Amino acid sequence: MNERCTARASSPKKKESELSNSQIVVIATLRAGGTVLHVDTEDIAVKANEIAPGRFTWKKYPDQINIDTVRKRLWDARKCGHLVGSERDGWLLTETGAAFARKYRRMLGAEKTTRLSLNERKWRRVEKARLLATAAYMKFGSG
């Protein structure tokens, strides 16, 4: 493994400035939904820039994200075993990558969440009950 893999953040209390860029993109992949579906490189770049503002931007144009920097760190994270995928197919976290990202995401601050309206919460509750009562779920639950 390369040195980016072994240079690990030893404590979840570290700040984003103490994490490597490869580690930042792993956490960004989690925030972009990379545990359940393949995430596009550009979506990860945006999340990485939210986590560490300015770290993945051009020097001359600091308001623009340098996609090449993000792309290189994604490949580094793949070599470390934290990600699978490619630029064409998108990126997905491995079990190791997901565990790492969950461990360190809290120290980077809370993710932005939106409050659901009363109607949205009610719809979700009804929809969940409906799905749990389907024959397909019953079959799945019984093995």
Side-chain angles (χ1 to χ4, degrees):
M1 292 204 177
N2 68 33
E3 85 181 36
R4 285 181 184 86
C5 296
T6 57
R8 59 175 111 159
S10 58
S11 167
K13 296 187 183 207
K14 288 193 173 201
K15 297 180 176 141
E16 75 277 349
S17 63
E18 297 171 349
L19 292 171
S20 71
N21 286 352
S22 299
Q23 293 168 330
I24 295 286
V25 298
V26 171
I27 296 166
T29 305
L30 176 73
R31 287 192 177 181
T35 55
V36 291
L37 50 97
H38 286 81
V39 180
D40 196 58
T41 303
E42 287 85 2
D43 294 328
I44 296 169
V46 170
K47 293 294 182 184
N49 194 51
E50 288 173 4
I51 293 168
R55 198 182 223 186
F56 296 94
T57 59
W58 292 93
K59 290 179 184 175
K60 190 171 180 180
Y61 303 101
D63 58 326
Q64 300 293 317
I65 299 170
N66 184 344
I67 197 72
D68 285 334
T69 303
V70 174
R71 189 177 292 125
K72 288 174 187 174
R73 300 304 71 98
L74 285 166
W75 284 105
D76 288 343
R78 184 174 186 235
K79 289 176 190 173
C80 294
H82 288 151
L83 295 174
V84 293
S86 65
E87 294 165 40
R88 186 181 61 125
D89 299 328
W91 302 95
L92 188 67
L93 287 165
T94 62
E95 289 297 320
T96 306
F100 171 83
R102 285 187 185 108
K103 182 177 178 182
Y104 290 95
R105 75 173 171 190
R106 287 187 187 95
M107 64 96 172
L108 296 174
E111 298 167 41
K112 295 178 183 172
T113 58
T114 56
R115 291 191 65 156
L116 299 175
S117 69
L118 183 60
N119 288 339
E120 180 71 17
R121 287 190 306 235
K122 181 180 175 184
W123 176 82
R124 285 184 177 202
R125 191 172 46 251
V126 169
E127 186 65 9
K128 181 179 179 182
R130 183 190 70 76
L131 290 171
L132 292 174
T134 62
Y137 185 78
M138 298 293 185
K139 271 187 172 178
F140 173 77
S142 67

